[in-house]
Amino acid sequence: MTVLAAAVALIGSLFFALGAALQQFEAASRGEFSLRVLLRRPRWLLGGASITVGAGLHIFALSLGPLTVVQPMGVASLLFALPIAAGLHGRRPARAELAAACAVSIGLIALVLMVPAATEPPHLTGADGLAMLTGATLAALLCWGVAPRVSPAPRTALLAIAAGVMYGATATLMRVLVEGTSWDVWLIAAIPLPALAALMLLQRAYAIGHFAVAFAALQVTDPLTAVTFGALLLGEPLPANGLAATAAALVAAAGTVALARTTPLTR
């Protein structure tokens, strides 16, 4: 079953990568961000459907095998997404881009393997949930405020980081709702708020044209945010070797910076 779980997760990563590349292609071709217009574009909607299938396959894979096998397969989506996105824009990814993407993937795989499994069902109080959403919103607003003052590649990264923070908050709420033994009604009402904010921020990042930077920054920020919220609010354990975890995160971050320097602007 472990081999099957890895295979399902890998296929899910392919669907997720395809969906992200399709959505970025449509967002970047607009030249100016408009979610209302994107929602009327079949290819953008197809990308959303592909991402949904990928997420469903990832959840199914978790029912077949351990997290330590499934999560690294999920990280492989960046390695799929880079050539798919390049192909949509009529080019081939350079070796430097692929090397940078490998660095991001290696750092993330090492990081997710070092995060200990939770020993108790998660529970989030209303006050802690409000504090989490407030903190995530302030961090996203900070990135949003700085983004217009920098060049396109860093702007892309900042908007994707903001989206990753909001997706991390969404993932934390979802975990409490799905895995918790008890939950409040407010959780259901709160989940769409950070999810919608994350979607809009990510599409704005995609519209700039640096897909690899946006996708890598999102993949780094989302799990780091979820792990942080899990440790601060849910009492979940952090990696035992903090130095090794920090090194893994730095490798992933360095790969993202390298992507910003090597990936051309595409629209």
Side-chain angles (χ1 to χ4, degrees):
M1 294 293 283
T2 300
V3 174
L4 179 59
V8 170
L10 201 60
I11 295 171
S13 294
L14 180 58
F15 273 97
F16 192 84
L18 175 62
L22 287 172
Q23 289 198 332
Q24 189 274 337
F25 182 81
E26 289 297 322
S29 65
R30 277 285 305 160
E32 180 180 349
F33 173 80
S34 175
L35 187 59
R36 188 189 316 173
V37 172
L38 289 176
L39 287 170
R40 294 200 295 267
R41 291 195 166 194
R43 185 154 41 185
W44 189 88
L45 294 173
L46 179 62
S50 184
I51 291 172
T52 302
V53 171
L57 288 172
H58 184 80
I59 294 171
F60 179 55
L62 286 172
S63 70
L64 298 174
L67 189 68
T68 53
V69 171
V70 174
Q71 287 291 67
M73 296 298 104
V75 172
S77 57
L78 176 60
L79 300 178
F80 291 138
L82 195 59
I84 292 173
L88 287 172
H89 289 284
R91 68 179 188 86
R92 291 183 178 181
R95 290 182 179 179
E97 290 179 78
L98 294 174
C102 285
V104 175
S105 298
I106 290 170
L108 282 176
I109 288 172
L111 187 62
V112 298
L113 289 177
M114 283 187 280
V115 177
T119 56
E120 296 182 1
H123 177 72
L124 190 67
T125 65
D128 285 344
L130 180 60
M132 179 187 69
L133 292 176
T134 301
T137 301
L138 290 175
L141 286 174
L142 178 61
C143 292
W144 170 272
V146 175
R149 297 172 171 79
V150 297
S151 57
R155 188 185 317 144
T156 299
L158 284 170
L159 291 174
I161 288 170
V165 170
M166 299 308 288
Y167 272 133
T170 304
T172 303
L173 292 175
M174 284 295 297
R175 270 203 68 228
V176 175
L177 183 62
V178 173
E179 300 178 16
T181 54
S182 62
W183 45 270
D184 299 322
V185 176
W186 73 269
L187 276 176
I188 299 176
I191 286 173
L193 302 177
L196 180 59
L199 176 64
M200 295 182 68
L201 286 164
L202 184 60
Q203 299 309 310
R204 285 187 179 275
Y206 283 165
I208 297 171
H210 286 285
F211 171 69
V213 177
F215 198 66
L218 176 71
Q219 281 206 308
V220 172
T221 307
D222 186 353
L224 285 177
T225 301
V227 168
T228 301
F229 284 147
L232 293 177
L233 302 176
L234 305 180
E236 296 179 346
L238 289 170
N241 191 330
L243 185 60
T246 301
L250 288 175
V251 168
T256 305
V257 173
L259 282 172
R261 294 178 176 176
T262 57
T263 304
L265 188 69
T266 53
R267 285 186 176 177

